[in-house]
Amino acid sequence: MKVILVQDLLKANTDQALQNRSLFDEHRVIVINLISAPGSGKTTLLEKTLALIKDRLYVGVIEGDISTTRDAERIASQAIPVVQINTQGACHLDAQMVAQALLELPLKELDLIFIENVGNLVCPASFDLGEHCKVAVLSVTEGSDKPAKYPEIFLKAHAVVMSKTDLLPYIDFNMEDCVAEMQGINKNLNVFPTSSKMGTGMADWIEWLEKLVQEKRGEVDVPCCNGKSIGSSI
């Protein structure tokens, strides 16, 4: 009888992630892994982002959910190539799931891929999918103590999108303290306070994404992640 250890599973995932990243680099496509708790507004943020960027960049999406195709259907309504992964109970995507999904995307044509991970701040932070950037989405309705409670995702992320800021007048949330706590965990974090409903803050977020793509293409020399590497070939 062979006992499969957690380390074996993580190594297998890491090996596949390296293959995924090599494929992305070969095609010069930037890949963003969006991670958040359920209800943070991640899909709405993605919808608004795609509406603002799809005329300038060719974007594909991989949607991760435990079940249903509802999020993929929302994305597909914008005429964006999208693949749904249903994990059937798993609390995160892994690199092999992503590798299979890539077979359904027109990789050679894409500038940017968003992977919307399963709603969970814990497990997805530990699994490399081959992405160039992890981006955490944190809703102001979740409370300003989340960075201290879930530090791994903020340590590994290149950016945090603070969502639903239009609700700040109605809730007890200290933006300054929350941002300071996040940057205490990771001084290189880019932080984008946004409201998808009102459109505030979206321009800075879009500009950052476009600079990542330009950097990947070799069109700009200035790092877009405060000096933090976003991939082996950048």
Side-chain angles (χ1 to χ4, degrees), residues 19-37:
Q19 294 179 46
N20 292 351
R21 188 173 295 111
S22 178
L23 186 63
F24 299 143
D25 290 343
E26 177 185 343
H27 292 288
R28 302 179 71 81
V29 56
I30 282 287
V31 180
I32 305 291
N33 183 3
L34 289 174
I35 298 174
S36 78

Side-chain angles (χ1 to χ4, degrees), residues 129-140:
L129 306 180
E131 74 275 6
H132 297 103
C133 293
K134 285 181 171 66
V135 174
V137 181
L138 179 65
S139 166
V140 299

Side-chain angles (χ1 to χ4, degrees), residues 189-200:
L189 269 178
N190 296 269
V191 180
F192 301 100
T194 66
S195 166
S196 297
K197 180 178 180 179
M198 306 302 293
T200 54

Side-chain angles (χ1 to χ4, degrees), residues 3 7 9 17 24 66 95 105 110 133 135 160 172 199 207 212 233:
V3 178
Q7 289 88 340
L9 297 175
F24 299 143
I66 290 176
L105 286 177
L110 298 178
C133 293
V135 174
V160 175
D172 183 16
E207 180 183 11
L212 291 181
S233 69

Side-chain angles (χ1 to χ4, degrees), residues 202-221:
M202 293 298 294
D204 290 340
W205 161 240
I206 295 296
E207 180 183 11
W208 184 74
L209 291 170
E210 290 182 325
K211 284 183 177 179
L212 291 181
V213 172
Q214 291 167 0
E215 188 179 353
K216 189 66 171 174
R217 292 171 175 168
E219 296 173 3
V220 296
D221 296 325

